[in-house]
Structure formats: structure tokens, C-alpha cells
């Protein structure tokens, strides 16, 4: 179904990835009332996981690019939660970003901005959200970034 969000994604030259099935005993999203809680989406692209440690093997810019891909995966899961119709999405409420980083690294917010900036690019003011950006000593599969989100439906 084509709508303003799908149109904006196309204008930006972006495509949502397939919503991956969980690899463990959890569900990709839970809807409670008008809120959709999307499980953490890890940094990955068509070639697989984007691995790295910020402050060691990855730059802030590389981390932000990985976080941007997490944002696309979050939107893909939100689309699945909306039955394939992104026009049902009202806004992004909150993100929690986990950054695989050294204990000396302090730019987690700049990394998670990759996701935040994408959501605002795609959704405009509806993409603005509250957020946490925290350091993690390790993330599943050695990925650089994992981000979970809460979305509101119309």
C-alpha cells in the first residue's frame, strides 16, 4: 500500500528490509492498545551483521551508518505490526540504543543519531522521540548497534 511514509522512503532512495523472524524465544513486536513495542533490531545489511566496537574498530560515522540501518529495520517491524500499512503509524515515541563500545568511548548519542536522524527524515515531526543511548560491553553476534523502539498507532 502506498502512503506518505512509503512515498518518502522512495524519495530518499530507501527500502525497508524484510522483517526478520526472531532467533530466540521472543516476538519481534507486541502491540498494547495504541502502542507497538518493537524488539531490539541489530545492525545488519544485505551482507549480514555489521560488527564492531566503537572506540576501537569502528568510527562514529560507521556506527551512525549501522544505527541508520537499525532504524530501517525498526520501521519494517512497525510496518509488520500495522498489517503492512504504514499509514497506521502515528509517531515514534521512544528509542533505546545500545552501542557496542569501549569503556572510554563517550559518543553513543552521536552513533544513535544515525537512527534518530533517519526517523525524522522519513516521518518528519512524527519521527521525533524521546531516547536513551547507552554503552554495552558486548552485543549479540558482535554487532555494533542494537536499537529498540516504541511507536504509537492512529
Amino acid at each position: 500500500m502506498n502512503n506518505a511514509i512509503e512515498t518518502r522512503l522512495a524519495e530518499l532512495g530507501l527500502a525497508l528490509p524484510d522483517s526478520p523472524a526472531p532467533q530466540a524465544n521472543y516476538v519481534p513486536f507486541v502491540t498494547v492498545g495504541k502502542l507497538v513495542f518493537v524488539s531490539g533490531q541489530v545492525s545488519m545489511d544485505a551482507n549480514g551483521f555489521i560488527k564492531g566496537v566503537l572506540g576501537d574498530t569502528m568510527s562514529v560515522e560507521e556506527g551512525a551508518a549501522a544505527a541508520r540501518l537499525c532504524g530501517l529495520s525498526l520501521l519494517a517491524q512497525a510496518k509488520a505490526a500495522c498489517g503492512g500499512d504504514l499509514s497506521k503509524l502515528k509517531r515514534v515515541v521512544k528509542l533505546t540504543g545500545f552501542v557496542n563500545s569501549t569503556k572510554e568511548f563517550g559518543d553513543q548519542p552521536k552513533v544513535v543519531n544515525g537512527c534518530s536522524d533517519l526517523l525524522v527524515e522519513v516521518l518528519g515531526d512524527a519521527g521525533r522521540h524521546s531516547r536513551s543511548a547507552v554503552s554495552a560491553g558486548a552485543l549479540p553476534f558482535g554487532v555494533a548497534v542494537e536499537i529498540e523502539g516504541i511507536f504509537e498507532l492512529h
Side-chain angles (χ1 to χ4, degrees):
M1 175 172 285
N2 198 2
N3 63 51
I5 297 171
E6 300 275 2
T7 300
R8 183 64 180 146
L9 285 165
E11 289 171 355
L12 294 169
L14 299 172
L16 296 182
D18 292 332
S19 328
Q23 300 298 309
N25 189 18
Y26 67 95
V27 294
F29 57 84
V30 172
T31 303
V32 178
K34 291 188 175 198
L35 295 179
V36 176
F37 296 79
V38 178
S39 296
Q41 302 297 297
V42 297
S43 52
M44 61 187 306
D45 61 17
N47 298 316
F49 295 120
I50 299 171
K51 300 179 180 186
V53 178
L54 280 291
D56 183 16
T57 62
M58 286 187 91
S59 68
V60 169
E61 295 76 20
E62 291 169 319
R68 184 175 176 89
L69 293 170
C70 292
L72 289 173
S73 293
L74 285 166
L75 284 173
Q77 293 292 2
K79 181 177 180 177
C82 292
D85 183 0
L86 277 173
S87 69
K88 294 179 180 177
L89 187 63
K90 183 174 182 181
R91 67 165 299 132
V92 182
V93 176
K94 183 167 197 288
L95 298 180
T96 303
F98 303 92
V99 179
N100 189 353
S101 54
T102 64
K103 65 180 183 176
E104 297 80 22
F105 184 78
D107 284 332
Q108 291 82 5
K110 290 180 183 177
V111 171
V112 179
N113 277 348
C115 181
S116 294
D117 292 347
L118 169 85
L119 294 172
V120 172
E121 277 181 71
V122 173
L123 303 171
D125 281 342
R128 299 194 185 283
H129 50 271
S130 65
R131 186 182 87 179
S132 299
V134 298
S135 177
L139 289 172
F141 314 110
V143 298
V145 183
E146 179 175 353
I147 303 175
E148 62 183 26
I150 303 171
F151 296 83
E152 182 182 14
L153 304 176
H154 286 284

